[in-house]
Amino acid sequence: MRALGKYVAAALVTGVLGVGAMPAATMAGEIGPKVPIDKSKGSCVLPGKEMRRVHMDILKHRRDLTMYQGIRGGKQALEACLTCHMVKDEKTGKPVTVASPKHFCRVCHDFAAVQPDCWTCHKSVPEAAVREAMIGPDGKMKASMMAQLRAFVQREHGGRK
Amino acid sequence: MKKHFHYEYLQSKVGYYTALGGMGVLALIGLAAAYYMEHHGHAVTGMTNEIVWGMPHVFAVFLIIAASGILNVASIGTVFGKTPYKPLGRLSAVMAAAVLAGGLMILVLDLGRPDRLVVAMTKYNFRSIFAWNIYLYNGFFAVVLLYLYTQMSQDFRVRRYYTAAGTLAFLWRLILTTGTGSIFGWLVARQPYDLAIFAPMFIALSFSFGLAIFILLMVALMKGDERPLGHGLVNRMGRLLGVFVAAAAYFTVVWWLTDLYAAEHRPMVGYLFFSGNIYSWLYWLGFMALGTIAPLFLVFSRSARTSFKPVVTASILTVLGGISLVYFVIIGGQSYPLVLFPGKQVSSTYNDGMFYSYAPSLPEILLGLGGMAVAVAIVLVASKTLRILPTTLADAAVDPHLATGEVAEMKKAA
Amino acid sequence: MMDQGARDKTASGQEVSREDELNEARRAFMRNIAAASVISLGGGLTLFTVGGSQAQAKKPEEPLDPKKRWGMLIDTTKCSDGCQKCVDACKQENGWEAEPHSPHDVQWIRKVNVKDPATGFMMSLPVMCQHCANPPCVDVCPTGASMQRADGIVRVNMHICIGCRYCMMACPYKARSFVHEDIPEEKKRFHAPMGKGCVTSCDFCAHRVDAGKIPACAEACPEGAMLFGDLNDPNSALSKRLKGIPSYQIREDLGTDTGIRYTRLP
């Protein structure tokens, strides 16, 4: 009777470990879906392999730096992640939001069944990308945009000084 | 003279399972209501940026106040050495924990982000009375369990600490209700609150709410399980309820008298207590007339000596009056606008200077009732699985003095 | 005094050397944008004034300076009844909308009209989070989500906000709002995240201040009636101005020591 108990326990333990091993592997980033990567904008905060494992810690650390220290900008900014990792819709050419399973942050998360709550508050497409289109790399506004704005101001505010 | 009481599991089957089933259904409806509120956001409730705490808080605060009061029944036996209350100690401890659990459940499920409960349990701001309350609530469970253990243990070395544990529990519950009262008393920004009297007032209210709920559940359990219950005991508890009810009303009167004296607060007192709006009615008719004066007449009436009815009715009225008062305090208090510019008329697109209105929504009420049901269900299950209910509460068994008193009363009545 | 000139100073009050500035044409353009406050580019996109970006009080990547205390002086004599420019600018910058008189919608700033019933005197003023030195909302928050940054800005760390709303009970200024509903993606602003179940309030445009700009409301005010600056720096334009004139706090009696001062209160 006792021997039987031992077998059952052993079987249970193996079973639990076996099941547990699957998500553990996913967490470590070894198995997982292929993620769309665009290397044209530069390298990630850390090499891709490490990012898979530690990106949540980077985000949480950064989030506290921003909340308590007012540190902003740079590669670790959430907006920067989303800008580099923007996935465009094939048809419309617009960046996809988290509503789409193609969104960079959803590809693995859907697979690993994690649902971080970030998107109840955070916008999932960068606004900087929008600004980038208007402001050149030198930080000045692009000439075409400038003309457009000038026209707008003229129209709306009648040249008010 | 040391008496030994016998405690036994609930014997009733049909009654027990019917009651438990009913409570289970109510609790499930409450959970569904909470899910609905969470899913759609608080927009589907009556709560707004102006009435930020609504019906769930009325139920929760009522139950949390009552929980500590329920524990008094045990303290009266342990700390104050009143013999007739001694056999009620176990039930009192279990019920106190159950009612607190029900109240906290409502509070937690009403949070904007109940999924972050673990944050509330791990991150504390020690300047916050709310954070202290989280400790006080958790500590209450620990202290009550300890107290229960010293009462129920077979080991005399544990039972030795019975009085010590009881005293600790009594002190803890006083601090706990001070904390609950201070949630409102320390709100400097809001005219209707902002008074130190809220702490003692809540303590007085806890005595009356707690005893009323205890009487109701005790009578229901004893009668439902067909165990003897003495008129002398119930009458005595009823008269104590009368004292508590009067004390609670006294504190509320001091509250508005104090505010009435300060010219600054006079318009607020006029609005809340004397303007004939729903809140004035809740205070005067709900709390004062039905929840205080009527119970006083009932518990001290002659028929209360020979029948349970007056005391049971008084307890029900105390509970209803109590809920009216908590509604009055929480909703009424918030409906009075913040005073940014004393003495001036203000208007804005954000309703500055207006009395705020609130209409309780169904999900909020269902959540509140669900919490109450959970409390009752815990008491039922505990009575079925633990030996907490005395086999008899007949006067002769509880305290011979009560019995002789009762006989004398009966003779007089006859 | 507090006209366009005030905006040429950095938020910390140091004069920006004119030579460093861009050409005059661009400056004129900036002024126009400031007047327009927000330029819509269609397609739901908005471009924000680039004007403040020259004024680098703090670089984005630097930690904030605990010696500072941000504050604002609102010249209520210049604030007119019908004007909602600061409110509109805040809405645009921080992505909230509010139906008039809706008790559910998020409100970061509002215009309050005050009348003295005894004399008939009337005035109008903006009210938002007052960025108290002794903020009741921070004291009461059980998790510490309601927080005061080292530079005095009071805001909600929504990552640990559990939505208990005790801060809303405690705030004397009705400055905090609870998000009662999901905010759809297209209405969200990247720099002012807020979402269902958490409390939100004016954060003095922390994202702008951290990058050396001034809050959107101050930038938008057509009268230049909102002077933003460092209360702790005696040389800041704000401190100098406050030294010269009487200023008042709403509900000064509560001792909250607000960061927002008014030149006149009813």
Side-chain angles (χ1 to χ4, degrees):
Chain A
M1 197 59 212
R2 275 181 89 167
L4 182 68
K6 264 187 200 160
Y7 282 118
V8 171
L12 276 176
V13 168
T14 346
V16 169
L17 280 182
V19 175
M22 269 160 58
T26 322
M27 275 176 217
E30 302 311 333
I31 317 171
K34 222 185 106 47
V35 191
I37 294 284
D38 166 14
K39 294 197 179 180
S40 66
K41 288 182 189 126
S43 60
C44 202
V45 184
L46 291 172
K49 241 195 183 140
E50 270 179 78
M51 280 312 281
R52 287 181 168 221
R53 210 156 24 88
V54 300
H55 64 279
M56 43 297 217
D57 301 325
I58 293 178
L59 285 168
K60 279 178 189 158
H61 180 63
R62 163 59 187 231
R63 152 187 110 178
D64 289 347
L65 283 179
T66 304
M67 297 311 299
Y68 297 106
Q69 291 293 318
I71 288 173
R72 288 164 192 279
K75 275 188 190 171
Q76 294 181 31
L78 188 56
E79 195 162 10
C81 319
L82 295 176
T83 310
C84 276
H85 291 296
M86 191 161 62
V87 178
K88 293 213 170 105
D89 189 279
E90 287 126 23
K91 280 188 209 131
T92 60
K94 278 194 196 154
V96 294
T97 66
V98 276
S100 152
K102 285 197 211 121
H103 188 277
F104 176 76
C105 308
R106 262 190 73 178
V107 180
C108 310
H109 290 175
D110 284 0
F111 178 81
V114 278
Q115 285 173 309
D117 64 2
C118 321
W119 316 115
T120 44
C121 300
H122 287 280
K123 205 175 172 76
S124 62
V125 285
E127 283 172 13
V130 173
R131 224 175 300 161
E132 228 169 65
M134 292 178 285
I135 298 176
D138 55 352
K140 289 189 188 144
M141 198 171 294
K142 286 181 182 164
S144 57
M145 279 295 159
M146 198 79 162
Q148 207 178 327
L149 278 174
R150 221 183 290 264
F152 174 85
V153 174
Q154 194 71 25
R155 193 170 68 239
E156 292 291 300
H157 296 272
R160 179 175 160 182
K161 284 265 140 67
Chain B
M1 180 191 71
K2 208 145 182 103
K3 285 182 81 76
H4 283 281
F5 298 101
H6 294 283
Y7 299 87
E8 200 42 78
Y9 310 117
L10 275 188
Q11 303 298 308
S12 144
K13 285 221 162 60
V14 179
Y16 169 78
Y17 285 110
T18 320
L20 191 62
M23 293 302 137
V25 169
L26 273 180
L28 283 179
I29 295 177
L31 285 178
Y35 175 76
Y36 174 78
M37 279 162 56
E38 239 42 82
H39 183 73
H40 292 273
H42 279 58
V44 296
T45 70
M47 289 175 273
T48 63
N49 287 330
E50 283 144 8
I51 307 287
V52 302
W53 286 351
M55 215 54 199
H57 303 81
V58 173
F59 280 101
V61 169
F62 175 79
L63 290 180
I64 291 169
I65 297 178
S68 52
I70 290 172
L71 193 63
N72 281 336
V73 175
S75 308
I76 296 170
T78 311
V79 183
F80 300 102
K82 299 278 181 252
T83 321
Y85 287 88
K86 289 208 166 137
L88 304 175
R90 296 180 179 189
L91 180 62
S92 157
V94 166
M95 202 191 290
V99 170
L100 184 67
L104 289 182
M105 185 194 97
I106 304 173
L107 211 55
V108 165
L109 289 179
D110 172 74
L111 290 177
R113 302 289 310 250
D115 52 316
R116 289 187 178 168
L117 187 63
V118 59
V119 174
M121 292 299 169
T122 50
K123 288 197 188 289
Y124 287 102
N125 163 25
F126 289 103
R127 290 176 69 90
S128 167
I129 183 66
F130 224 82
W132 280 101
N133 276 342
I134 298 175
Y135 275 110
L136 290 172
Y137 299 148
N138 289 333
F140 188 81
F141 287 120
V143 169
V144 167
L145 284 183
L146 181 78
Y147 183 26
L148 198 63
Y149 178 51
T150 59
Q151 291 184 61
M152 295 182 66
S153 172
Q154 302 294 328
D155 187 341
F156 79 97
R157 277 167 304 183
V158 175
R159 277 207 308 277
R160 259 201 318 223
Y161 295 105
Y162 162 66
T163 316
T167 312
L168 176 68
F170 181 63
L171 290 177
W172 197 277
R173 67 126 314 215
L174 286 182
I175 299 170
L176 183 136
T177 321
T178 304
T180 315
S182 302
I183 289 180
F184 297 93
W186 293 358
L187 282 178
V188 186
R190 293 188 183 258
Q191 286 203 1
Y193 309 137
D194 184 24
L195 278 183
I197 202 172
F198 269 74
M201 182 170 96
F202 272 42
I203 291 180
L205 288 169
S206 81
F207 278 81
S208 80
F209 299 174
L211 188 54
I213 292 181
F214 185 87
I215 293 176
L216 288 176
L217 284 182
M218 177 192 76
V219 171
L221 286 172
M222 295 301 286
K223 289 270 137 193
D225 216 38
E226 291 170 0
R227 301 191 190 185
L229 177 62
H231 285 114
L233 178 72
V234 173
N235 181 24
R236 185 164 169 164
M237 294 174 84
R239 280 185 306 201
L240 187 64
L241 180 66
V243 175
F244 289 166
V245 160
Y250 159 80
F251 276 104
T252 67
V253 172
V254 178
W255 168 24
W256 59 258
L257 275 178
T258 309
D259 272 337
L260 195 61
Y261 201 74
E264 176 195 2
H265 293 155
R266 234 167 260 164
M268 181 275 290
V269 177
Y271 165 76
L272 271 187
F273 290 86
F274 300 107
S275 67
N277 61 16
I278 168 83
Y279 306 115
S280 327
W281 281 106
L282 280 173
Y283 179 75
W284 290 109
L285 185 68
F287 176 71
M288 273 300 185
L290 289 178
T292 304
I293 297 173
L296 274 176
F297 273 107
L298 285 167
V299 296
F300 292 113
S301 71
R302 180 170 284 268
S303 57
R305 293 170 189 161
T306 49
S307 155
F308 295 140
K309 262 191 202 138
V311 173
V312 167
T313 316
S315 301
I316 294 174
L317 287 176
T318 306
V319 168
L320 294 178
I323 293 178
S324 306
L325 184 79
V326 176
Y327 189 98
F328 169 84
V329 169
I330 295 185
I331 313 286
Q334 290 177 86
S335 74
Y336 191 74
L338 289 164
V339 181
L340 262 61
F341 305 102
K344 305 294 187 294
Q345 283 170 2
V346 287
S347 63
S348 75
T349 52
Y350 197 27
N351 309 329
D352 281 274
M354 283 160 68
F355 299 126
Y356 305 136
S357 58
Y358 169 76
S361 67
L362 188 62
E364 291 171 75
I365 297 173
L366 293 177
L367 171 59
L369 292 177
M372 289 192 157
V374 165
V376 176
I378 296 176
V379 174
L380 281 172
V381 172
S383 318
K384 189 80 178 167
T385 52
L386 297 172
R387 289 199 169 90
I388 56 171
L389 207 61
T391 44
T392 171
L393 283 175
D395 287 339
V398 171
D399 183 355
H401 297 300
L402 279 177
T404 46
E406 186 185 7
V407 173
E409 296 297 349
M410 277 180 155
K411 269 189 197 147
K412 229 190 263 170
Chain C
M1 172 73 203
M2 277 177 294
D3 53 9
Q4 185 59 44
R7 260 179 249 120
D8 289 338
K9 302 198 176 82
T10 63
S12 61
Q14 271 124 42
E15 292 280 342
V16 172
S17 66
R18 305 245 153 184
E19 292 78 26
D20 286 353
E21 283 173 7
L22 300 173
N23 59 52
E24 186 52 37
R26 182 160 176 198
R27 279 180 40 74
F29 173 61
M30 294 309 172
R31 237 193 315 265
N32 275 336
I33 298 185
S37 84
V38 178
I39 315 287
S40 294
L41 288 174
L45 310 177
T46 42
L47 175 80
F48 293 86
T49 50
V50 228
S53 61
Q54 314 135 13
Q56 292 276 332
K58 166 185 171 304
K59 294 201 173 62
E61 66 279 10
E62 284 172 355
L64 51 82
D65 180 356
K67 287 200 282 296
K68 284 192 164 64
R69 178 173 179 216
W70 295 118
M72 186 186 272
L73 175 66
I74 302 181
D75 188 345
T76 32
T77 56
K78 290 183 182 163
C79 193
S80 62
D81 183 2
C83 177
Q84 292 274 342
K85 288 252 162 57
C86 51
V87 180
D88 293 340
C90 181
K91 284 184 183 170
Q92 284 289 350
E93 177 72 25
N94 297 305
W96 54 273
E97 288 172 7
E99 291 282 315
H101 302 291
S102 161
H104 278 123
D105 294 345
V106 169
Q107 296 252 359
W108 278 23
I109 177 172
R110 64 191 187 276
K111 284 295 293 297
V112 178
N113 294 316
V114 194
K115 181 181 175 188
D116 188 334
T119 62
F121 173 75
M122 290 209 279
M123 64 179 288
S124 168
L125 72 169
V127 177
M128 65 284 236
C129 171
Q130 302 285 306
H131 300 283
C132 311
N134 307 312
C137 59
V138 173
D139 286 347
V140 300
C141 176
T143 65
S146 184
M147 57 174 276
Q148 186 180 38
R149 299 201 325 180
D151 62 358
I153 293 182
V154 174
R155 69 180 310 192
V156 186
N157 180 357
M158 290 178 211
H159 303 104
I160 53 172
C161 170
I162 55 173
C164 74
R165 303 156 353 249
Y166 196 25
C167 56
M168 301 172 69
M169 291 290 274
C171 174
Y173 307 102
K174 206 183 174 185
R176 289 229 157 149
S177 311
F178 184 64
V179 182
H180 287 85
E181 270 172 304
D182 266 323
I183 298 178
E185 178 85 21
E186 60 276 12
K187 287 194 182 161
K188 285 185 189 139
R189 290 304 324 271
F190 209 99
H191 293 290
M194 52 181 101
K196 186 178 76 183
C198 287
V199 172
T200 173
S201 71
C202 159
D203 58 5
F204 244 167
C205 282
H207 62 282
R208 293 172 60 96
V209 173
D210 285 342
K213 296 191 239 170
I214 62 171
C217 53
E219 193 166 270
C221 180
E223 300 293 333
M226 297 168 107
L227 178 60
F228 178 80
D230 182 2
L231 288 168
N232 283 352
D233 175 5
N235 294 319
S236 72
L238 175 66
S239 294
K240 284 182 183 157
R241 178 108 174 104
L242 280 171
K243 202 174 173 192
I245 55 160
S247 63
Y248 304 92
Q249 307 171 25
I250 303 182
R251 287 307 302 271
E252 207 158 345
D253 57 317
L254 296 175
T256 48
D257 185 7
T258 61
I260 309 243
R261 312 290 166 100
Y262 297 84
T263 56
R264 187 179 70 182
L265 280 184

